[in-house]
Amino acid sequence: MKKRYLLIILFSVFVNLQGQIIKNTEQLKEKLIVINNQFEDSFLRNDSSIIIKYYDDKQPVCMPEYHKALYTKQDIKSYYQQWFSNFKINAYKKVIYEVKQIDNYAIEIGTFNINSANKKGETLIYDGKYLNVWKIEKNVKLTLISEIWGADKAIDGSNFSFIKTNSNEIPKPQIEKFLENEVNKRNQRIAELVTNREGEKHADEFFTKDAIYLTYDSPMFIGMENIKPYFVEHEKPNGVSIDSISIKASRMIPLHNFVIEYGYYYVDVSWDNKKGRAIVTGKSTNIWKRDENGILMLYRQMVNHN
């Protein structure tokens, strides 16, 4: 009888905790909607102060499309000020797709739509998706640790060429060496698969079944059923040769079965028997999750070009 009552009590506690988690996630999403409304207003008023206010003071990471990553609030502020001083934002909307809470961090994924005009009066429609990492402080205060975004379809990067940024050294990981080595080995394996143009293996070996992949010039790909076909098509040889590739990790945040990683890539590509050549550089925000065997798999990943 005592065991029965104990089971009932434990079950009740579990149900309450589950309800609490769901409730907290919903509250978190509501707070993010309020913040996004403030961001939208900031864009419409060409005022970066609200955005900068939310950024982390110590180790912020901003990964704008068509530019290298920014690591200080001053550099991030300068980036936004230059953007706003050269464009009139006529309409701006952010829509949250999902919010995932991992310990005292929140991963926010969503879409954005920007209708703007440059100083010449030329219209720029910039529609895309984003991935933000927030730290949940005491009293549910939210601090923006990082943001990355990218267009749903190709737009001319020269639209943003007027923005000048400082050339900063990529920060090194400050975590336990074994974890740094583990992530580096996973990145080396990705480099091998990309070099060999093995898209199907790339998807199978690295993404969870319920992963979300956000990449350049494409809408978000949700679930393996959409991620795998993308990689199969994207990594077909088609006369393209990967002559050199480097994938490196910068800052990392270990969170039990998860690791938040900020990564950077350099790819030397050639085609038509090396008659054509291009250097492609970019960056990513990676949310790794350990599977049942303890292997780090990509749970959420967003990539964009410099």
Side-chain angles (χ1 to χ4, degrees):
M1 184 65 71
K2 287 183 179 180
K3 287 183 178 179
R4 182 183 174 189
Y5 284 129
L6 180 60
L7 287 171
I8 292 172
I9 291 170
L10 289 173
F11 178 75
S12 299
V13 170
F14 174 76
V15 170
N16 287 333
L17 284 174
Q18 287 292 91
Q20 222 174 28
I21 292 170
I22 293 171
K23 183 179 179 182
N24 287 342
T25 301
E26 288 303 311
Q27 288 177 344
L28 187 58
K29 185 175 181 179
E30 289 171 7
K31 288 185 73 71
L32 287 170
I33 289 173
V34 171
I35 293 172
N36 284 341
N37 288 338
Q38 294 176 13
F39 280 21
E40 290 170 9
D41 187 57
S42 296
F43 270 76
L44 294 175
R45 292 188 293 108
N46 288 44
D47 177 13
S48 64
S49 61
I50 295 295
I51 300 170
I52 303 305
K53 181 188 76 172
Y54 279 100
Y55 256 104
D56 182 50
D57 289 323
K58 296 179 180 178
Q59 292 188 321
V61 181
C62 179
M63 293 181 158
E65 192 169 30
Y66 309 118
H67 285 88
K68 293 182 178 181
L70 310 170
Y71 307 106
T72 70
K73 289 186 75 168
Q74 186 56 45
D75 285 344
I76 297 168
K77 180 179 180 180
S78 174
Y79 173 87
Y80 274 108
Q81 285 178 333
Q82 291 179 74
W83 189 0
F84 291 163
S85 65
N86 283 271
F87 276 100
K88 168 62 178 173
I89 312 298
N90 299 313
Y92 178 52
K93 184 65 180 176
K94 292 181 77 174
V95 178
I96 295 175
Y97 175 77
E98 74 161 13
V99 178
K100 291 288 185 182
Q101 186 173 344
I102 305 173
D103 290 349
N104 60 328
Y105 286 82
I107 311 301
E108 176 197 359
I109 289 176
T111 59
F112 66 85
N113 310 97
I114 302 175
N115 183 313
S116 61
N118 63 20
K119 289 184 175 181
K120 297 179 181 178
E122 298 167 335
T123 299
L124 174 65
I125 304 298
Y126 191 10
D127 296 338
K129 63 279 176 195
Y130 68 90
L131 188 158
N132 290 351
V133 177
W134 298 84
K135 187 172 184 180
I136 306 168
E137 311 280 3
K138 292 181 180 179
N139 301 320
V140 200
K141 176 189 173 184
L142 294 175
T143 300
L144 185 56
I145 301 298
S146 67
E147 62 174 336
I148 181 172
W149 64 86
D152 280 346
K153 60 181 180 180
I155 63 173
D156 191 346
S158 65
N159 285 298
F160 302 98
S161 61
F162 60 84
I163 301 177
K164 306 303 178 186
T165 59
N166 293 325
S167 181
N168 294 315
E169 185 178 348
I170 296 174
K172 295 180 180 179
Q174 296 179 335
I175 58 170
E176 294 184 17
K177 197 65 179 178
F178 81 90
L179 183 57
E180 181 184 350
N181 291 338
E182 184 180 13
V183 173
N184 285 340
K185 285 181 180 178
R186 293 297 277 159
N187 284 331
Q188 287 171 11
R189 177 58 178 159
I190 291 176
E192 290 174 9
L193 294 172
V194 173
T195 299
N196 296 331
R197 318 304 287 155
E198 297 182 272
E200 185 170 0
K201 282 187 177 181
H202 187 164
D204 285 334
E205 290 187 25
F206 281 90
F207 288 89
T208 63
K209 299 297 182 185
D210 58 347
I212 298 179
Y213 180 58
L214 306 98
T215 189
Y216 44 84
D217 303 342
S218 305
M220 66 176 78
F221 296 99
I222 302 169
M224 183 60 74
E225 65 273 20
N226 294 302
I227 293 172
K228 185 183 290 189
Y230 169 81
F231 276 99
V232 169
E233 181 63 30
H234 182 67
E235 295 184 1
K236 280 182 178 178
N238 291 333
V240 173
S241 172
I242 305 297
D243 300 322
S244 175
I245 181 170
S246 173
I247 303 175
K248 295 184 178 180
S250 176
R251 289 177 180 156
M252 290 190 232
I253 304 172
L255 300 169
H256 296 296
N257 289 326
F258 293 84
V259 178
I260 300 172
E261 175 214 353
Y262 300 103
Y264 304 85
Y265 57 87
Y266 170 98
V267 186
D268 188 345
V269 183
S270 64
W271 56 91
D272 291 340
N273 293 321
K274 300 190 184 299
K275 293 178 182 177
R277 181 171 178 261
I279 303 295
V280 181
T281 64
K283 53 215 177 286
S284 64
T285 298
N286 308 317
I287 315 298
W288 295 92
K289 179 182 181 181
R290 294 193 185 279
D291 66 9
E292 61 275 10
N293 298 313
I295 298 172
L296 287 174
M297 303 290 287
L298 287 167
Y299 178 60
R300 301 288 183 264
Q301 182 181 44
M302 181 151 191
V303 178
N304 69 20
H305 289 330
N306 291 338

